[in-house]
Amino acid sequence: MIGTVTLNPAIDRRYNVDKLDINIVKRTSDYSATAGGKGLNVSRVVRILGEKVLAFGFLGGSEGDFIQRKISELGIKSYFINIKGTTRTCLNIIDELGDNIEILEGGPTITKDEENRLLKVFKSQIDNLDVVTLSGSLPKGIDNDIYGKLIKVINEKGKKAILDTSGRDLIVNLDSRPFLVKPNREELENIIGGVLNTEEDIKKSAKKILDLGAQNIAISLGSEGMYFFGKLGNFKVNIPKIKAINPVGSGDSSIAGFAYGISKNLDIIEVLKYANACGVANAMEKETGKIDVTVVNEILEKIEVVIL
Ligand code: ATP
């Protein structure tokens, strides 16, 4: 079974309007509310791939109840800690030109007792998991080495941790030796503090992250595919050209593909094909964190993994 950790989930509310004017009341019947947060996107895609998921994190208030109901409907089992605070809502208002306004709430503050309850329930379930994904930024109040604490539990049991976060939250948790980290090019540039133009630039920056403790690193490049460096080898993944509809959540979908391939003990070349096929398939959907398995299987055939 694949475990997913979403420490700062959100209700993603989308409103489509004709035009983004200010000081005018807008009415619309084109709107949706979904269970969001990077880890929940991963959970959804893993479910679509047909694997069992156990989701962990924090939920609070009626917003938390809403998310719990939504993920249960998708067949995602979960051990969310019920918190005193209220789960956040993220708002996206989009007009007919494709312009949008996005408002992201900061989210609740997690108490020490809530953090300890999460660690306890996670430890009680680790034997049931093969691979665990840990995604997204950290909520307020929580120790910033929380991912490291969870990864230690994962590694002690010989299971595999995939860490997908950025900036300081990534750096401070690398010494726990996650099996895989997956910054995109921009996130890696922000960490290194420079522009990464060539393969050599990317390779050098990847080495720095490996030296800090990651066992493997995948650098996703949007429509240009992915680089991978680490103890499983060095690779460039070339993907087919497609008509992208909405690439938001492609990174989360590629994490789901990695978790799927690794949990099935596939060869690294096959794992990389799954990760990228899921990312590409997500970019072809309107919804975030959604794939069509038939499309994934078609794309798998068109992906080329080059050994560096
Ligand atoms: P997000 O944060 O929105 O989840 P990300 O920035 O972490 O995304 P990306 O690099 O955009 O991740 O995408 C991950 C993978 O998805 C890429 O390596 C690629 O395989 C695929 N992908 C992303 N965007 C496109 C696109 N426009 N066309 C084809 N494939 C794409």
Side-chain angles (χ1 to χ4, degrees), residues 118-137:
L118 174 80
L119 281 165
K120 193 168 167 206
V121 77
F122 186 76
K123 280 180 192 160
S124 76
Q125 293 301 315
I126 186 67
D127 285 336
N128 299 323
L129 306 171
D130 307 305
V131 179
V132 181
T133 69
L134 309 106
S135 309
S137 57

Side-chain angles (χ1 to χ4, degrees), residues 230-259:
K231 70 175 193 185
L232 296 179
N234 299 341
F235 306 92
K236 167 77 198 343
V237 185
N238 297 321
I239 58 173
K241 288 266 164 291
I242 51 116
K243 189 172 166 344
I245 295 173
N246 175 16
V248 177
S250 280
D252 303 332
S253 303
S254 69
I255 294 291
F258 270 118

Side-chain angles (χ1 to χ4, degrees), residues 38 182 184 220-223 225 239 242 244 248-252 276 279-280:
K38 292 172 76 62
K182 190 216 72 67
N184 62 27
S220 63
L221 311 168
S223 61
I239 58 173
I242 51 116
V248 177
S250 280
D252 303 332
N276 281 269
V280 176

